[in-house]
C-alpha cells in the first residue's frame, strides 16, 4: 500500500504544496514522511499482531465491589492506546502552542490509515480527537483547557453520546433530559442529565484516568415538556469523574453508569456500550442526575455535533477502505503463493502439468482487480476529500468556499461508497481463499465481519442517500453539484487528449450528463416522497460516477511516474472500473429518473 | 412462507399431478400436505429454538483415553437428528419395500426447506441421504443392503470425502492412495487407503452407531505411481467401524482418525473436519491403512460421485434460499413492529407526529422487496428444478430427456444465484435492523455468516460459471440452451397477452436474445481462455434472466389465485425484479461479449 499512498500524496495531491501555507510552513515532505513512517511502524508492532486477539477476547464486564460494572479488555488494547497517545497523533492537527504538530488533515488522515488497516477495532482514538476538536470549535476557553487539552495529551478519552435505545437514527426523538442546576459554574452552565444512551463506543473502560462524554440532551421548556424535533437538542460535557477548573479529579464519581455491552458481529476490539445517565447509581451531592456542562448555546446541540461530521464520515469511509485493503493484500498474497488447478488452454487442461498459483486463473484475477479498483479508488477519493478539508481551512476565501461546498456533496459518497464496495471487496477476498477463507484461521473473514458495521454507523446508507439527493445536490441552488461537474469535466477534457483514455472520458461524460438529468427528473414533481423513493440507487450511481472520475484522474497522473508496475496497476484498475463498474450506473439511474414507486407503494400485507 | 410454498406447489407446479404416475399413485395432496405439516412442526420445535445455541457452542474436541479425538456437540444437535430420523425423511424418496415413502423429490425438497430455514447447520442429513442414494445407484446389492439401508433407517450417518488440504477444488490432484488387499470380499473389492481429507462435514461424531465415509482415492498403476487427472479416481466405502455382511459392527475400529476441526465463520452447528485415513492410529489387523470397499468400477469414482450432483447443488441453493428467507421474515417482522422516524411529506417532517413503523420508510420497503424478490424467486426456481428431477425420473422418455438437459443448464444457476443474492438479502436484513442487526442479540447476523459458505462449497462460484459457459450451454450442440429459450419464450408469449405484463415480457425477450448472442460472441474465437475470462459475469446475467423468467411465470399464475395479498406480493416482486434487477444484466453481458481481457492480462506485479 505504501507506494500507492506515496503516489497519491506526492504525485497526485501534491501534499508538499501545503507547506507553502503559513500554518504548515515548518513542515516538509520529510516531516510528512517521518510521521507516516512512525505510524506505519506503530501500527505494525502494536496493532496488527493483536487484531485477531481483540476479536476473540471481546470486551466483557466484571462487577465492582459497589455492584457497578467495569470493562475487562486485553492488555494489548492498553498498549496500543499508549503507543498511539505517545506518538502525538491525538493532537496531530493542533497548534504548536497547544502541544500539537500542526499537521495538515491530509497527512493526519493518511497516517491514521495504517492503524485502520492493522486493526480497525483495537483503537477508538478518532472519537477522542473528534470530541476534543468539537470542544475546540464550540467550547469556552476553560472547557478547551480542562477537557480538550487533556484529551489531546492522551490523559483522558472522549465519547460521542447521540443515540438512544428507542431512537436509533432518529435524533429528534431523544428523551434524555437536562435540567439547569447552576448558571454560573466556571466550567459552563451546569445541568443534571437523566436518560439512556445506546451504541456508545468506548463508553466505559479504564484505559484513561477519565472519560469525557459529549452528550445530546433536551432542556425541558417552562411546562416541563421536551420540545419535539431536533431544535430542542443541546450539547453537554459529562465527565465520568468530576474535575475542577485545573483539570484535576475531585474524587467525586459522576452519575454515569455502564448498563451493559453490545455484542457485535465484528469490530469487537472496540467496547460498545449502553450507558445510564443520572439514574442514581452514583449520586452527586446526594442527588441522582449526571452533572453536565452546556457547550455552546441551548438548542444548538446538533449543529455543534455536526460541525465535525465531514471528518467523522471521511473517517468511516477510511475505516471501510482500510478493511478492504487489508483483505485485498491478504488475498493477493494467498493468490500468489497457493497453487491449485490449471488454466484452461486451447486443448483443455493438462492434468500432468504442475498446479499453478491461483493468480493464474482469470476469475481470481477478476476478483483481485475488482478489490484493487474498489479499495485503492476509495483511498484516493478519501484523501482527495482530506485535501479539501485542508483547503477549507487554509486556502484563500474563494478556494476555501469551493472546498467546503465540494465536501458537502462528496461526503455522503466518501462514507457510503467504501462502506458498500469495500465490504464486497472483503467478500471477494474470502472467495479467493476458498474454504480456508471461511475459517477463522485466515484473517479475511474478520475483515468482512468488521466492515459490515460501516454501512450502519455515523448515518446509515439510507440516511447518506437522503442527505445526498434530498439536500446536498440541491443546496445553494445546486452550486455544489455544478462545482463537482466542473471538476469532473476538467478531468474529462484532459483525458480526451490521451488516446488511451478518450473512450473512458466519453463514457464518464455520458454518465455525468445522465446524473444531471436524472437529478432534475427525480425532483420534477417537487414531491420528496417521489424524489427520494430511490435515493439509495441514486447514491450508488453517483458514487460510481465519482469513483470513475477518481480513477480517470489518477490515470492522467500515473502515466508520468517512474514505477512502471504501479502505473500499469493504475491503468488496469481504471480500465476495469470503466468496463465492469461504471456501466452499472445506468440501471440504478433509471428507477430514479422514473420516480419508480414500486417499493414505496406495495401494501404492507403484500410483503 | 407457507402460503407462498403452497402456491408454488399447488398452483404453479401442480404437485398433485404427479400422483397420476405409478410411482406416486398412493399419494395425494393430503399426504403431501401431511409431510409438510410434520416437517414444519419438527423444524419449529427441534431446530429453530437451538439455532443460536449451535452457533455459540460450536463443536469442540476432547481426547479419548487412547489419545484419539472425539467431538463434543450440544444435546440439541442429537435431539434434532433423532427427530429428523424418526420422521422418516431420510428415506423419503425410497421405495416402499425399502421402508421409504416414495415421495416425489419436489415434496422432499419442499419439506426439507423448513429445516433449512429453522437451522441450516444443526443437521447435515442431506449428506447422509446423498451418500446412500449414491450407493443405491452404483453399489452392489450387498453394499446397498449393508450400508445404504442403515443410512436410510437412521442407524448410521454418511459423509462425502472429496477435498484434500493441498487440492481444494482441484480434484484431479488428490493424493489419497488405495491399494488392493483382497479382490473377493463380499462387501466389494477391499483396499487399504492412505491420505488426508479436508472440509469433511460431520466427519466425526457420536450421534450414530457408525459413519459411512464415501472416499475418493486413486489406485496406483503397476509402477506404483498415481495417474494424473480425474481419470485415476475411484470411489470407496470406508466405514468408521468395520461391519459384517449382516450390517453388524465387528468390534474393529477402522483406521480413520479425526485430525482436527475447522473453525468457521458460520454454519457452526455442522462439524467440519480434517480426517486422516490410514495413518495407523487404529491399525486393522496390525496394519496401518483404512479399509475401503470399491464402489462401481476403478477409475469411475468421480462419475459415480457426480451422479447426485444436481440434487446436491439444488440442496445448496435451497440452503442459501432458506437462510435468505429467514432473514427476510425476521426483518419484515422488525420493520412492522419497530417504530422510528417519520416519512418525508411535502412539508418535510413533522417532529411532533408520532414515529412510524420502519416499513413506512421507502428505503426500508425497497430493502424488503429486494429480499422478497431474491428469496421467493430463488425458492420458486429451486422447486421448479426439483420438479424437473421428478420429470427426469418418472416422465416418459422424451419429457425425461428434456428435463435432464434443462437441469444440466439450470443447476449452475440454481446453486450460484441464491448463494450470491440471498447472501445480499441477509445483508439487507441486517441493514433494516440498523445497529441492532449488527449485534448477536438478533438472528440476522448469523444468517449472513451462515450464508457466506454457499458460494464456496459444492463447487465455488467460479466453478459453476465455468460449468455453465464452458460446458452446459454448449453441450449436445447447444440443445439445452435452446430448450430453456423455448420455455422462456412460451412464458413471454403468454405474458404478452396480459397488458400489465407485456412490458416485462418484452424486456425479458430482449435479454434472452442478448444472452444467445453473447454466448456466441464469447466463443467466437474458440479460445477457452477468452470465452471464459468473464464466466462469472456471464453467469450473473444468465441468472438474472432465469429469475426474471421465473417471476414472470409466477405472475401469470398469481392473477388467478384467491389470496389477494399473495397475488399483490407476486406482482410487486415481479415489477421490482424487472425494474431494478433485470437491467443489471446488460453491463455483465457486455464484458463477456467483448471477451474483455482486462483482468486476465494484467501482469502479476501490477496488482
Amino acid at each position: 500500500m505504501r507506494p500507492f499512498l506515496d503516489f497519491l500524496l506526492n504525485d497526485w495531491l501534491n501534499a508538499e504544496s501545503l507547506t507553502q501555507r503559513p500554518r504548515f510552513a515548518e513542515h516538509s515532505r520529510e516531516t510528512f514522511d517521518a510521521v507516516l513512517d512512525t505510524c506505519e511502524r506503530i501500527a505494525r508492532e502494536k496493532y496488527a499482531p493483536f487484531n485477531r486477539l481483540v476479536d476473540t477476547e471481546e470486551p466483557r464486564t466484571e462487577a465492582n465491589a459497589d455492584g457497578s460494572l467495569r470493562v475487562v479488555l486485553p492488555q494489548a488494547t492498553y498498549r496500543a492506546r499508549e503507543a498511539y497517545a505517545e506518538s502525538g497523533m491525538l493532537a496531530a492537527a493542533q497548534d504548536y502552542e497547544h502541544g500539537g504538530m500542526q499537521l495538515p488533515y491530509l497527512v493526519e488522515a493518511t497516517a491514521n490509515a495504517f492503524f485502520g488497516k492493522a486493526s480497525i477495532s483495537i483503537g477508538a482514538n478518532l472519537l477522542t480527537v473528534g470530541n476534543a476538536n468539537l470542544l475546540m470549535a464550540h467550547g469556552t476557553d476553560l472547557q478547551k483547557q480542562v477537557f480538550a487539552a487533556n484529551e489531546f495529551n492522551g490523559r483522558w478519552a472522549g465519547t460521542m453520546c447521540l443515540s438512544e435505545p428507542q431512537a436509533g437514527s432518529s435524533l429528534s426523538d431523544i428523551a434524555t433530559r437536562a435540567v439547569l442546576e447552576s448558571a454560573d459554574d466556571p466550567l459552563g452552565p451546569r445541568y443534571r442529565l437523566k436518560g439512556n444512551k445506546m451504541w456508545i463506543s468506548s463508553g466505559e473502560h479504564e484505559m484513561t484516568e477519565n472519560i469525557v462524554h459529549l452528550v445530546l440532551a433536551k432542556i425541558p421548556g417552562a411546562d416541563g415538556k421536551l420540545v419535539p424535533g431536533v431544535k430542542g437538542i443541546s450539547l453537554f460535557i459529562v465527565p465520568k469523574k468530576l474535575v475542577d477548573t485545573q483539570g484535576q479529579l475531585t474524587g467525586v464519581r459522576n452519575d454515569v453508569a455502564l448498563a451493559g455491552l453490545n455484542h457485535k458481529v465484528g469490530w469487537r476490539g472496540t467496547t460498545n456500550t449502553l450507558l445510564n445517565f443520572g439514574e442514581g447509581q452514583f449520586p452527586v451531592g446526594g442527588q441522582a442526575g449526571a452533572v453536565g456542562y452546556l457547550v455552546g448555546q441551548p438548542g444548538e446541540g446538533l449543529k455543534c455535533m455536526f460541525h465535525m461530521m465531514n471528518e467523522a464520515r471521511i473517517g468511516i469511509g477510511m475505516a471501510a477502505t482500510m478493511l478492504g485493503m487489508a483483505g485485498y493484500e491478504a488475498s493477493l498474497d494467498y493468490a500468489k503463493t497457493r497453487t491449485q488447478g490449471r488454466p484452461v488452454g486451447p486443448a483443455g487442461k493438462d492434468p500432468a502439468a504442475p498446479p499453478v498459483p491461483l493468480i493464474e486463473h482469470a476469475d481470481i484475477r477478476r476478483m483481485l482487480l475488482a478489490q484493487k479498483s474498489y479499495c485503492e479508488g476509495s483511498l484516493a477519493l478519501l484523501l482527495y476529500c482530506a485535501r479539501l478539508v485542508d483547503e477549507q481551512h487554509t486556502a484563500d476565501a474563494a478556494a476555501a468556499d469551493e472546498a467546503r461546498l465540494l465536501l458537502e456533496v462528496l461526503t455522503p459518497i466518501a462514507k457510503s461508497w467504501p462502506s458498500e464496495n469495500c465490504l464486497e471487496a472483503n467478500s471477494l477476498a474470502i472467495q479467493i481463499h476458498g474454504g480456508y477463507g471461511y475459517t477463522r484461521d485466515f484473517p479475511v473473514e474478520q475483515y468482512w465481519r468488521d466492515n459490515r458495521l460501516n454501512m450502519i454507523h455515523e448515518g446509515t446508507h439510507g440516511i447518506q442517500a437522503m442527505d445526498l439527493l434530498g439536500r446536498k445536490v440541491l443546496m445553494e441552488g445546486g452550486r455544489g453539484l455544478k462545482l463537482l461537474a466542473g471538476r469532473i469535466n476538467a478531468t474529462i477534457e484532459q483525458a480526451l487528449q490521451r488516446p488511451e483514455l478518450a473512450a473512458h472520458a466519453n463514457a464518464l461524460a455520458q454518465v455525468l450528463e445522465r446524473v444531471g438529468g436524472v437529478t432534475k427528473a427525480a425532483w420534477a414533481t417537487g414531491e420528496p416522497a417521489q424524489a427520494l423513493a430511490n435515493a439509495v440507487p441514486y447514491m450508488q450511481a453517483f458514487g460510481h460516477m465519482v469513483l470513475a472520475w477518481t480513477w480517470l484522474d489518477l490515470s492522467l497522473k500515473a502515466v508520468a511516474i517512474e514505477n512502471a508496475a504501479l502505473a500499469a496497476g493504475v491503468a488496469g484498475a481504471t480500465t476495469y472500473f470503466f468496463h465492469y463498474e461504471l456501466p452499472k450506473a445506468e440501471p440504478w439511474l433509471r428507477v430514479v429518473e422514473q420516480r419508480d414507486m414500486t417499493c414505496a407503494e406495495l401494501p404492507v400485507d403484500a410483503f
Side-chain angles (χ1 to χ4, degrees), chain A:
Chain A
M1 179 174 81
R2 186 66 189 267
F4 185 71
L5 262 186
D6 288 337
F7 162 68
L8 292 180
L9 277 187
N10 301 320
D11 298 290
W12 192 52
L13 296 172
N14 196 2
E16 202 172 0
S17 67
L18 288 168
T19 62
Q20 287 157 19
R21 299 194 180 155
R23 180 166 181 82
F24 309 126
E26 291 188 29
H27 281 292
S28 63
R29 174 154 175 186
E30 285 66 36
T31 63
F32 293 164
D33 282 348
V35 170
L36 299 190
D37 291 345
T38 302
C39 289
E40 193 174 10
R41 182 181 51 73
I42 298 174
R44 190 175 56 239
E45 294 174 359
K46 304 289 184 185
Y47 279 59
F50 308 104
N51 191 45
R52 176 59 77 174
L53 177 80
V54 296
D55 183 64
T56 315
E57 297 186 17
E58 69 180 327
R60 61 188 170 80
T61 55
E62 279 180 0
N64 292 311
D66 60 5
S68 66
L69 297 174
R70 72 171 172 276
V71 174
V72 181
L73 296 169
Q75 277 303 312
T77 304
Y78 286 74
R79 298 278 149 67
R81 193 199 137 84
E82 268 165 39
Y84 190 87
E86 279 166 19
S87 76
M89 283 298 290
L90 287 166
Q94 301 307 307
D95 295 353
Y96 293 128
E97 56 170 313
H98 296 136
M101 291 195 252
Q102 275 185 217
L103 270 186
Y105 180 65
L106 173 61
V107 178
E108 182 186 359
T110 307
N112 277 324
F114 293 111
F115 300 101
K117 182 154 77 74
S119 179
I120 195 63
S121 76
I122 204 172
N125 301 307
L126 293 187
L127 282 171
T128 297
V129 173
N131 174 312
N133 274 334
L134 199 154
L135 292 177
M136 293 304 283
H138 300 285
T140 63
D141 283 346
L142 193 61
Q143 286 173 341
K144 292 181 202 177
Q145 211 174 299
V146 170
F147 297 105
N150 281 312
E151 296 187 75
F152 286 130
N153 67 23
R155 201 176 142 211
W156 300 343
T159 74
M160 300 285 200
C161 302
L162 288 76
S163 302
E164 300 184 2
Q166 83 294 350
S169 297
S170 182
L171 291 177
S172 62
D173 290 314
I174 65 168
T176 298
R177 303 168 70 94
V179 177
L180 186 68
E181 187 174 58
S182 159
D184 51 7
D185 193 295
L187 290 172
R190 191 171 77 235
Y191 287 72
R192 289 293 188 114
L193 279 73
K194 294 190 183 185
N196 313 107
K197 291 290 177 178
M198 185 67 163
W199 312 119
I200 311 308
S201 288
S202 301
E204 174 57 23
H205 57 74
E206 291 168 354
M207 285 191 288
T208 49
E209 183 191 65
N210 203 359
I211 301 174
V212 181
H213 302 291
L214 279 179
V215 181
L216 292 182
K218 290 185 175 178
I219 302 169
D223 59 357
K225 288 190 183 155
L226 300 182
V227 183
V230 297
K231 287 182 195 130
I233 300 176
S234 304
L235 179 67
F236 300 88
I237 298 168
V238 183
K240 173 182 167 185
K241 298 175 183 172
L242 295 178
V243 301
D244 63 22
T245 54
Q246 306 300 307
Q248 298 305 314
L249 302 191
T250 62
V252 177
R253 170 82 194 239
N254 201 357
D255 195 7
V256 183
L258 175 64
L261 303 183
N262 291 308
H263 297 287
K264 293 165 292 173
V265 195
W267 208 292
R268 292 190 187 168
T270 301
T271 312
N272 191 277
T273 62
L274 172 61
L275 295 180
N276 290 342
F277 288 84
E279 297 206 338
Q281 189 163 12
F282 301 102
V284 178
Q287 260 196 314
V291 171
Y293 307 99
L294 182 70
V295 179
Q297 295 304 308
E300 302 210 330
L302 216 54
K303 212 174 100 186
C304 292
M305 191 63 106
F306 282 9
H307 178 89
M308 296 290 159
M309 190 52 89
N310 287 340
E311 279 104 304
R313 291 184 167 170
I314 291 170
I316 300 302
M318 187 62 93
T321 301
M322 286 302 111
L323 284 165
M325 195 70 87
Y328 172 53
E329 291 184 358
S331 61
L332 177 58
D333 185 55
Y334 188 78
K336 285 178 176 173
T337 51
R338 164 88 177 179
T339 59
Q340 192 169 302
R342 292 140 197 95
V344 191
K349 297 180 183 180
D350 173 11
V356 298
L358 281 176
I359 199 170
E360 296 304 323
H361 298 288
D363 195 52
I364 300 287
R365 259 183 223 219
R366 182 187 62 83
M367 293 191 281
L368 287 169
L369 193 47
Q371 288 180 71
K372 184 182 175 75
S373 82
Y374 300 159
C375 303
E376 290 184 358
S378 293
L379 179 56
L381 172 63
L382 288 158
L383 294 187
Y384 184 87
C385 290
R387 181 73 156 88
L388 289 178
V389 173
D390 288 319
E391 291 298 296
Q392 187 184 352
H393 294 149
T394 63
D396 64 63
D401 191 58
E402 272 203 5
R404 174 194 60 79
L405 199 53
L406 266 175
L407 265 180
E408 293 282 9
V409 177
L410 285 176
T411 299
I413 300 301
K415 195 272 180 184
S416 69
W417 203 90
S419 300
E420 179 174 347
N421 293 281
C422 296
L423 175 66
E424 177 60 23
N426 287 147
S427 186
L428 294 173
I430 291 175
Q431 192 69 20
I432 288 172
H433 281 75
Y436 290 102
Y438 196 66
T439 69
R440 277 123 62 201
D441 298 332
F442 285 76
V444 285
E445 63 84 24
Q446 186 184 345
Y447 301 142
W448 180 67
R449 284 186 288 111
D450 286 352
N451 219 347
R452 186 61 189 80
L453 179 59
N454 291 311
M455 279 202 283
I456 298 172
H457 63 169
E458 281 293 340
T460 64
H461 229 46
I463 285 173
Q464 301 300 325
M466 303 270 280
D467 185 42
L468 179 68
L469 181 53
R471 215 166 68 83
K472 297 303 181 60
V473 298
L474 306 177
M475 65 192 282
E476 302 180 26
R479 199 164 71 86
L481 185 54
K482 280 194 204 94
L483 209 51
L484 177 63
R487 300 246 174 151
I488 295 176
N489 272 321
T491 301
I492 290 171
E493 288 305 319
Q494 283 184 62
L496 284 172
Q497 310 304 316
R498 293 270 175 73
E500 77 281 11
L501 298 179
H504 299 339
N506 283 319
L508 179 57
Q510 269 185 20
V511 174
L512 176 61
E513 201 190 321
R514 283 287 290 150
V515 166
V518 167
T519 308
K520 287 200 186 75
W523 283 104
T525 62
E527 296 279 352
Q530 291 180 6
L532 301 176
N534 297 291
V536 167
Y538 177 83
M539 179 173 71
Q540 291 171 311
F542 199 104
H544 265 53
M545 172 187 75
V546 167
L547 267 287
W549 162 55
T550 304
W551 274 116
L552 191 59
D553 209 64
L554 291 172
S555 272
L556 285 167
K557 194 57 81 175
V559 288
I561 62 171
E562 277 181 27
N563 184 333
L566 200 151
V570 170
T574 303
T575 304
Y576 171 86
F577 204 87
F578 276 86
H579 289 188
Y580 289 74
E581 296 294 332
L582 187 59
K584 293 179 181 171
E586 183 53 29
W588 284 319
L589 289 172
R590 215 168 305 161
V591 292
V592 186
E593 182 178 38
Q594 298 175 351
R595 298 184 298 282
D596 195 311
M597 298 298 279
T598 306
C599 305
E601 290 178 351
L602 191 69
V604 170
D605 68 354
F607 280 95

